[in-house]
Amino acid sequence: MWSRLSGSSPPEKAASPRDDVLAEERALLSEWWAPAQAAVVPSSPSDEDRAVLAEWVSVGSSAPDPPVTEVPDPDLAALSEWAAPVVSEIKDPDLALMSEWDTGAPPDTLARSLALAESAATAAPMVGRVVRSRAEGTFAVSGLALASGHLAFDGITFPHRLSGTPRPESVRLVVTGDGNVAPGGLVVMADSGFRPSDEGFTLVLAASGPGRFHAQGRYEVGLG
């Protein structure tokens, strides 16, 4: 067996890469380490502090509420300049005592004049009616006949309402154009229910033969 020689030292251990990494980590963490703080021992309170604490303890929550200051009643005389004036009830004026109405007339004359003025103010106004006794306009009647004698009807309305009812013979027709109309085939109806009124009248047109027939022109009506 081999034995260690006297006086020889053991070989040194080689540093590993892991030791270098640990050293860098320690250096990095040392920046964040807080230095040790000395322990502070609280000092005992002074006599003044003990007196203040004793005062607060003796008062506590049972301290009385502060006294309420009573507000005196306002002086109404001093507030008179801000107060609104009291308006008395206004009665209807006596027209007879007013200088504007006092014309020196006897009391009965003045009362009669006031009564007439009041009745004139409350009376309903009279509306005048415009008398319309004439009307005129145009007409056009047409139809399709299958045989001679077929009829076509047309209602004519006045441009305004007349003040009365015209007679059938008071309607004057002026024909400006016609076609396939029988002789005397354009007339104003005078039968009951179709006779002229204050709003218009009814025309009837008779065909001369089969086919279309028509008549046009103007009318004049009066309350003669």
Side-chain angles (χ1 to χ4, degrees), residues 120-143:
T122 56
M126 299 181 60
V127 180
R129 182 179 178 184
V130 179
V131 178
R132 300 182 184 274
S133 60
R134 296 187 57 82
E136 60 182 22
T138 59
F139 67 89
V141 190
S142 63

Side-chain angles (χ1 to χ4, degrees), residues 34-186:
Q37 300 291 333
V40 178
V41 179
S43 60
S44 59
S46 61
D47 297 339
E48 184 179 357
D49 294 338
R50 290 191 184 94
V52 173
L53 292 175
E55 181 181 356
W56 283 98
V57 170
S58 62
V59 175
S61 60
S62 61
D65 296 334
V68 179
T69 305
E70 296 183 359
V71 180
D73 296 335
D75 187 1
L76 299 180
L79 297 177
S80 60
E81 62 176 307
W82 300 96
V86 179
V87 181
S88 60
E89 183 180 357
I90 301 177
K91 299 181 180 180
D92 296 335
D94 189 356
L95 301 182
L97 299 178
M98 296 177 62
S99 59
E100 180 181 358
W101 295 85
D102 189 5
T103 57
D108 54 346
T109 304
L110 181 59
R112 190 163 49 252
S113 301
L114 293 177
L116 292 175
E118 182 178 359
S119 62
T122 56
M126 299 181 60
V127 180
R129 182 179 178 184
V130 179
V131 178
R132 300 182 184 274
S133 60
R134 296 187 57 82
E136 60 182 22
T138 59
F139 67 89
V141 190
S142 63
L144 179 61
L146 301 179
S148 60
H150 282 191
L151 305 177
F153 301 87
D154 187 23
I156 305 299
T157 303
F158 298 143
H160 51 262
R161 177 175 294 182
L162 299 180
S163 300
T165 302
R167 295 174 299 173
E169 57 270 17
S170 64
V171 181
R172 178 171 175 265
L173 301 178
V174 179
V175 179
T176 58
D178 59 358
N180 194 18
V181 178
L186 178 64

